[in-house]
Amino acid sequence: MGQKKTGGLAGVIAGRSDICTVGQEGAGLTYRGYDIYDLADNACFEEVAHLLHHGHLPNAGELAAYRERLKSLRSLPGALKRALESIPAGTHPMDVLRTGCSVLGNLEPETEFSQQRDAADRLLSAFPSMLLYWHRFHTDHKRIETSTDDDSVAGHFLHLLHDAPPSELHRHTLDTSLILYAEHEFNASTFTARVITATLSDFHSAIAGAIGALRGPLHGGANEAAMELIQRFDSPQAAETGVRGMLARRELIMGFGHRVYTRVDPRNSVNKRMSRRLAGEVDDKRLYAVSEAIERVMWEEKKLFANADFYSASVYHFMGIPTYLFTPIFVCSRITGWSAHVFEQRADNKLIRPGAEYTGPSLKPWVPLAERD
Ligand code: COA
């Protein structure tokens, strides 16, 4: 157990940050001192983005101006659209976003760190546009207009996806989900962004690296894997039997467990509530019940709890979002947290370069090529 704890830097304090607490005694999950439940219940995603980027909640005038600014940054340059069109239809959309981020970094490079807030706002606005431009190009064979009148990132996303403005329930649900995913301290993708930033590299390189880290199923990719699991079962009974079998075979159940939380992921209750509500809306008789059955078995068998990725899977599914767009939605949200960490790292930078405990062979004499076996 002691050996295990040191693996993967578990429990290691790797730096200081003013941005977020995760599972801290007496605080729980907070962004800049605000409780996640207060933010999820009362804020909009743009308020949270402003909070993370600027360190304080916007007043009404600042929020209106910030929304207008984000709206004005949704169009994509022609060269980026052509690049997106040339990415094959079968590509995973996380790879599309990683490439889109890089291409934008070529077309609109950050040449000085003083441009970092512009780069952050641009990516926050452009990620839904580039993702759904590529998606609609390949699924509907349309070159869509990526500017919409929707004031919110959530509304813009759903509008581009479904080619119509979303219902208020769906807009609000996605908005809340974006708030829940916005920031989570030194998780793998954020830490990746900070490591890249610490070399004094550019903004787009840090974010492209973070997208690569988020893609994996042990991190952001878990929401897609959770959906595939839930859809495998046609009843709660089948789910119970199936998951018990998977656990007996020591398979991982995606959407459960967490490196930092030990008993509960505070984001889960919000996601679960939204999933239940949407299940009622679409008259789902299977997926929500299957999800609850899996959650029950995981607790009974392993004392493992659903993390943020488990119920967000069915939430997205009930809103008609294809599974392969789930992890990219995480990017559209977490770009806010990543950006805040890039700013913070740059403000007090030190190259991040830890040491390793060497476990290789001891020093050996050199053997010339002709004398080797
Ligand atoms: N399903 C089944 N068993 C799990 C599990 C899961 N989702 N998560 C952890 N475990 C088990 C491990 O197999 C391990 O068992 P062992 O001690 O018998 O070998 C034990 O619980 C400890 O897990 P470990 O992988 O060492 O914890 P970690 O802190 O390194 O991993 C996660 C944390 C999140 C990577 C891990 O829980 C996981 O892989 N979850 C599934 C992926 C996921 O949902 N990721 C999103 C995270 S927000």
Side-chain angles (χ1 to χ4, degrees), residues 1 4-5 7-8 10 181 184 216-223 225-226 246-247 250-261 265 267 298 302 304-310 330:
M1 187 69 185
K4 242 188 164 167
K5 270 286 164 205
Y181 267 146
H184 220 222
L218 293 191
H219 191 10
N223 55 12
M246 290 174 74
L247 290 176
R250 302 187 65 78
E251 289 176 38
L252 274 183
I253 309 298
M254 294 307 181
F256 286 85
H258 199 273
R259 173 56 69 78
V260 181
Y261 301 124
D265 180 333
R267 302 165 294 182
M298 288 302 285
K302 302 277 291 183
L304 281 172
F305 51 89
N307 59 46
D309 290 321
F310 188 65
F330 201 152

